[in-house]
Amino acid sequence: MSLFDHKLSEIQEWLHTKEISVNDLLNEAYNRINEVDGEVKAFLTLNEEAARQRANELDALRGTTEGRGLLFGMPIGIKDNIVTKGLRSTAASQILDNLNDPLYDAHVVQKLNGAESVTVGKLNMDEFAMGSSNENSSYYATRNPWNTDYVPGGSSGGSAAAVAAGEVPFSLGSDTGGSIRQPAAYCGVVGLKPTYGRVSRFGLIAFASSLDQIGPLTRTVEDNAYVLETIAGHDKMDSTSADLEVPKYTEALTGDVKGLKIGVPKEYFAEGVSEEVKTAVRNALKVYEDMGATWEEVTLPHSKYALSTYYLLSSSEASANLARFDGVRYGRRSPQAENMIDMFKLSRSEGFGDEVKRRIMLGTFALSSGYYDAYYKKAQKVRTLIKQDFEKVFANYDVIIGPTTPTPAFKVGEKTEDPLTMYANDILTIPVNLAGVPGISVPCGFSSEGLPIGLQIIGDHFDEGTVYRAAHAYEQATDYHTHKPSLGGAN
Amino acid sequence: MSRISKEQVKHVAHLARLHVSEEEADMFTKQLDDIITFAEQLNELDTEGVEPTTHVLDLKNVTRKDEPKHWLTKEEALKNAPEKQDGQFRVPSILE
């Protein structure tokens, strides 16, 4: 039994009564990383020296921490596209390989530091968050803790795998088209993408600015709600962050879903969704019925257009956002270049991987003269239709429930040949980003191969409270979240 | 019919300041053509009169007073630069 098998509230109680120390928690984290990360490869950079120093400071405060919050002394892993002052932040790209000393902390990191959590290290991901398997990391591919022949999902694969493997009790990821929920599903943990604007993106290395959101990955819904309470809220450094009060999400966890109205989109049970996944989700709906909730089939008719819409819009935004990597102010500069244009071209070509180049070119094409209306603007219009699909359902239902992914995790190398096959993993998560609504993935079963299956619960804008309430009630009625991978023997 | 030619791929790569070899240009042409062909499915939809969504939430312009304040020092701003000289970023010659 690991300390991290317990909820943050339990661990915090032991810290407060001095049964354990912050250093004990760090020992748990780093020992487990030493034991299993050679296989899992969730971490890119460790922060052990600074973390130990911080732990000593915090341990001196133990016993006087009444009312300081549940994250006091808690070890956390942070996705590598979230900038951390003085701690290497690469977004898993060679173009930022030498960014060893970033100048500032992302807003969410400032919040976590303020809550006195301790950063254990930075987590592996698909380069610039472009990918669904972590195989696009320019360093190494993170493996699924449930079976290391399989991918952990992506792009927050390191964030999901580290929590599933018991290396940290919680982590932060980012989600542009499913990058928190899909790996959470594949690794059997809880991952939430908040409403667009709920969490500041300041210090998140931008991929697609109208879609990106930072969110927590945890073992339980309660922990997840608590972390979101800590990181959410308005930030004047992100003009798209919503100036709205942050509710106490943990107070929404009543266990009561009597009368909850659930919409189940028929498009989420279409061709390509495996029978095992369909069965797991149908069983979950029975659990909700038993708890007094009701569900009906609904339709999100433009779902099948979401993938195309997403790739045109996200790649267009990426082509603009990634223009900043020019080899001038920071990051890689090619030593070969003799003039300015060559310096840009060579630095970028040596620094970016193929998937990143592909998307930059797709985006540049979609935005270029003569194609803008046919591709980019067309996709923006279809985005409106997709958003309206959700508005129509939420006029009559509290939440939408379906699978997080069409299948459980796939094998490493299985989908790397054809980009479109890889993209199809995200067909059930992408519409949520396009509509800007919040969505969570919670464990809802296992495949015949013993791989986790995720249940996706989607809410209306800024209604994370209802999403959490529904997820928590389901979690309390089932025991999937208590299962652990048998990685590294005991534990 | 292909949606994007190898010449277009090379042109787009130039616009995006990417160097691509002949071999890479062949690969990207095939892959981008597949993706764009797939994306053409959007033409099935009649979007006449539909407003484009640039942003999912109703946003208002956010402004602040134009007042100088401390952000980064010159030393900090230059700290991660690949090359610097006399307190400035150094780059290769722009004029041939």
Side-chain angles (χ1 to χ4, degrees), chain A residues 208-220:
Chain A
S209 304
S210 80
L211 300 160
D212 296 340
Q213 268 291 288
I214 295 170
L217 294 102
T218 56
R219 292 272 275 272
T220 66

Side-chain angles (χ1 to χ4, degrees), chain A residues 99 101-104 196-197 202 210 236-237 239-240 302 304-305 307-309 312 327-331 333 337-341 343-346 348-349 352 354 357-358 360-362 364-365 368 371 375 377-385 387 417 419-420 423 434-436 461-462, chain B residues 3-4 8-20 24 27-28 31-32 34-60 62 69 71-72 75-83 89-96:
Chain A
L99 191 59
D101 196 3
L103 299 176
Y104 59 88
Y196 183 82
F202 177 71
S210 80
K236 64 181 188 326
M237 300 300 279
S239 60
T240 65
H302 297 94
K304 72 168 181 166
Y305 301 103
L307 194 60
S308 299
T309 304
L312 289 170
V328 175
R329 294 150 302 158
Y330 54 88
R333 176 183 295 185
E338 286 175 9
N339 63 53
M340 189 80 163
I341 293 282
M343 183 197 74
F344 294 147
K345 285 190 176 179
L346 292 170
R348 289 164 64 80
S349 301
F352 293 141
D354 281 349
K357 290 179 191 168
R358 198 153 39 235
I360 289 174
M361 287 197 279
L362 176 64
T364 306
F365 175 73
S368 65
Y371 297 95
Y375 294 108
K377 201 161 181 195
K378 179 79 183 182
Q380 284 189 315
K381 289 180 172 186
V382 179
R383 184 175 186 181
T384 303
L385 299 176
K387 191 184 157 204
E417 284 304 308
L420 280 170
Y423 296 171
L434 290 171
H461 287 130
F462 297 104
Chain B
R3 261 70 177 180
I4 186 167
Q8 278 176 301
V9 167
K10 286 182 178 174
H11 176 63
V12 163
H14 170 70
L15 291 177
R17 298 294 182 260
L18 292 168
H19 172 80
V20 293
E24 285 172 322
M27 175 185 79
F28 285 131
Q31 291 172 337
L32 290 173
D34 285 350
I35 295 168
I36 294 162
T37 302
F38 174 69
E40 300 254 319
Q41 66 156 186
L42 297 187
N43 293 331
E44 294 168 14
L45 288 170
D46 180 6
T47 51
E48 190 65 37
V50 177
E51 282 294 312
T53 295
T54 48
H55 209 284
V56 285
L57 302 174
D58 293 326
L59 286 182
K60 53 183 189 306
V62 180
K69 62 176 181 183
W71 173 231
L72 298 174
E75 288 68 32
E76 286 171 329
L78 286 165
K79 191 169 63 175
N80 291 305
E83 274 192 71
F89 297 106
R90 189 173 190 276
V91 296
S93 71
I94 294 169
L95 301 171
E96 296 288 316

Side-chain angles (χ1 to χ4, degrees), chain A residues 52 66 116 236 432 450:
Chain A
R52 294 281 181 191
E66 189 81 57
E116 298 171 303
K236 64 181 188 326
V432 172

Side-chain angles (χ1 to χ4, degrees), chain A residues 386-399:
Chain A
I386 291 166
K387 191 184 157 204
Q388 288 169 349
D389 284 354
F390 282 90
E391 284 166 3
K392 283 173 194 158
V393 173
F394 284 124
N396 295 307
Y397 297 88
D398 299 310
V399 290

Side-chain angles (χ1 to χ4, degrees), chain A residues 63-117:
Chain A
T64 65
T65 55
E66 189 81 57
R68 273 183 123 107
L70 297 186
L71 299 189
F72 173 85
M74 293 296 166
I76 178 174
I78 295 177
K79 189 176 181 181
D80 207 38
N81 59 349
I82 298 171
V83 175
T84 42
K85 187 176 182 175
L87 178 61
R88 186 167 176 248
S89 305
T90 69
S93 180
Q94 288 304 307
I95 208 155
L96 291 177
D97 180 62
N98 60 5
L99 191 59
N100 295 317
D101 196 3
L103 299 176
Y104 59 88
D105 279 321
H107 182 76
V108 290
V109 175
Q110 294 170 21
K111 290 265 196 176
L112 290 167
N113 289 343
E116 298 171 303
S117 66

Side-chain angles (χ1 to χ4, degrees), chain A residues 70-268:
Chain A
L70 297 186
L71 299 189
F72 173 85
M74 293 296 166
I76 178 174
I78 295 177
K79 189 176 181 181
D80 207 38
N81 59 349
I82 298 171
V83 175
T84 42
K85 187 176 182 175
L87 178 61
R88 186 167 176 248
S89 305
T90 69
S93 180
Q94 288 304 307
I95 208 155
L96 291 177
D97 180 62
N98 60 5
L99 191 59
N100 295 317
D101 196 3
L103 299 176
Y104 59 88
D105 279 321
H107 182 76
V108 290
V109 175
Q110 294 170 21
K111 290 265 196 176
L112 290 167
N113 289 343
E116 298 171 303
S117 66
V118 184
T119 302
V120 165
K122 302 299 290 288
L123 291 159
N124 202 5
M125 55 184 284
D126 289 293
E127 183 179 0
F128 287 110
M130 296 175 186
S132 312
S133 70
N134 258 48
E135 291 164 294
N136 292 339
S137 167
S138 77
Y139 295 98
Y140 35 78
T142 301
R143 300 301 182 106
N144 193 312
W146 292 87
N147 183 334
T148 52
D149 291 337
Y150 288 78
V151 303
S155 67
S156 309
S159 302
V163 173
E167 295 174 322
V168 282
F170 73 111
S171 65
L172 290 188
S174 67
D175 190 315
T176 306
S179 280
I180 290 172
R181 290 159 289 153
Q182 185 253 26
Y186 283 6
C187 292
V189 300
V190 179
L192 176 105
K193 182 206 87 77
T195 306
Y196 183 82
R198 181 76 283 184
V199 177
S200 167
R201 294 180 293 109
F202 177 71
L204 173 67
I205 297 173
F207 161 16
S209 304
S210 80
L211 300 160
D212 296 340
Q213 268 291 288
I214 295 170
L217 294 102
T218 56
R219 292 272 275 272
T220 66
V221 175
E222 183 188 303
D223 288 356
N224 205 287
Y226 192 80
V227 178
L228 184 66
E229 274 175 32
T230 309
I231 62 170
H234 181 62
D235 170 22
K236 64 181 188 326
M237 300 300 279
D238 174 3
S239 60
T240 65
S241 77
D243 197 358
L244 293 172
E245 204 179 315
V246 180
K248 289 264 177 231
Y249 295 117
T250 40
E251 287 174 6
L253 311 179
T254 57
D256 181 9
V257 289
K258 209 163 284 157
L260 186 81
K261 291 169 78 179
I262 302 168
V264 179
K266 63 176 184 198
E267 292 80 7
Y268 284 34

